[in-house]
Amino acid sequence: MNHEQEMRAEGIRRMLADIERETQLTAPFTGIAALDPRVMQAMAEVPREAFVPAELHSHAWDNGPLPIGQGQTISQPFIVALMTHLLEPEAEDRMLEVGTGSGYQSAVLSRLVDQVFSVERVPELTAEAVRIFRDLGYDNIETRIGNGFEGWEEHAPYDGIVVTAAASHVPPALVEQLAPGAHLVIPVGPPYGRQELLQITRDAEGHIDTRSVLPVAFVPMIDEE
Ligand code: SAH
């Protein structure tokens, strides 16, 4: 290994250890003692540095959010891992993300499920994410520019939906687009205020169960209605 590869391998080890530590620290809230090993494997596999601006490459494996332009951020690795775990991904699944941003969350999911659909309102972010997916050969992610508050009706129902911006309330269209047994993982609360990460489950009869998982801080969802 050359120096750069060694630094990268060390960065990945540190990030995975940080995720495990934060999982344990938050276990009293989440009730989750350890994340799914397949999720941890996907976190190790997806090159996070490809999704952050060049000048921040040395921070790509830090367990924190980073700016990605357009006033947006790539989420903290622990939160990405936790949300992915809460979706309970299976190999045959088709999942929806609202808030493509850098594309990192979709990329992690794409290693675990058959097909990922991802909606983003800022065209420049989508264009950059699509370029990165192509460079990495991740060919099971489809993107759309639009208001994710509406979901993506065309491909519904989904085996899981993850929203990576904070909504003021749970978007009804997203609940409607859940397959039986599927989870909607979404931060809900006021912009820059007290937000809760929710795991919402729809059962075969269409009944909805809502579980509050953890207090979180996400950038706000825009153009909700
Ligand atoms: N998942 C991203 C982080 C997203 S930050 C990643 O892994 O990098 C939240 C994103 O949600 C931003 O890119 C923002 O533009 C987008 N967003 C905000 N409101 C939205 C809406 N109504 N519909 C779709 N995307 C939205």
Side-chain angles (χ1 to χ4, degrees):
M1 275 205 280
N2 64 31
H3 178 67
E4 199 179 316
Q5 288 168 325
E6 271 170 32
M7 294 290 290
R8 188 170 175 277
E10 172 51 30
I12 297 170
R13 271 196 297 277
R14 185 164 43 83
M15 184 188 78
L16 296 176
D18 287 345
I19 293 172
E20 273 169 24
R21 194 169 315 116
E22 197 156 350
T23 301
Q24 284 158 18
L25 283 171
T26 53
F29 295 93
T30 63
I32 298 166
L35 298 180
D36 184 337
R38 293 170 306 164
V39 172
M40 293 302 278
Q41 175 59 37
M43 295 298 294
E45 184 185 325
V46 175
R48 192 168 185 255
E49 74 272 19
F51 296 87
V52 306
E55 64 274 18
L56 294 173
H57 272 186
S58 60
H59 295 284
W61 304 97
D62 292 357
N63 185 27
L66 292 169
I68 55 170
Q70 313 285 334
Q72 300 302 329
T73 57
I74 178 172
S75 304
Q76 181 195 6
F78 164 68
I79 289 291
V80 173
L82 175 65
M83 290 175 99
T84 307
H85 174 99
L86 290 167
L87 287 166
E88 299 186 24
E90 298 287 347
E92 328 73 58
D93 286 351
R94 301 158 66 255
M95 291 207 179
L96 175 69
E97 180 193 17
V98 172
T100 313
S102 71
Y104 181 66
Q105 171 74 70
S106 278
V108 169
L109 257 185
S110 78
R111 302 303 84 199
L112 295 160
V113 303
D114 186 50
Q115 180 83 46
V116 177
F117 299 90
S118 196
V119 185
E120 165 63 54
R121 55 181 287 281
V122 181
E124 290 81 0
L125 292 174
T126 303
E128 179 64 2
V130 166
R131 185 189 64 74
I132 300 166
F133 298 152
R134 198 179 334 109
D135 284 355
L136 294 173
Y138 293 178
D139 59 5
N140 61 341
I141 307 169
E142 238 185 90
T143 60
R144 190 173 89 91
I145 297 158
N147 183 357
F149 199 80
E150 318 283 329
W152 189 345
E153 178 90 65
E154 189 187 349
H155 303 288
Y158 299 97
D159 302 303
I161 301 178
V162 60
V163 180
T164 52
S168 65
H169 59 290
V170 178
L174 298 185
V175 176
E176 275 158 32
Q177 291 174 22
L178 283 178
H183 305 294
L184 165 61
V185 178
I186 180 173
V188 173
Y192 311 107
R194 198 188 147 75
Q195 303 165 1
E196 289 279 330
L197 184 62
L198 304 182
Q199 185 193 42
I200 296 167
T201 308
R202 183 192 180 117
D203 73 12
E205 284 78 47
H207 296 134
I208 305 299
D209 176 71
T210 300
R211 184 164 87 86
S212 176
V213 179
L214 194 68
V216 286
F218 275 81
V219 294
M221 202 168 166
I222 299 165
D223 300 332
E224 289 191 308
E225 313 289 346

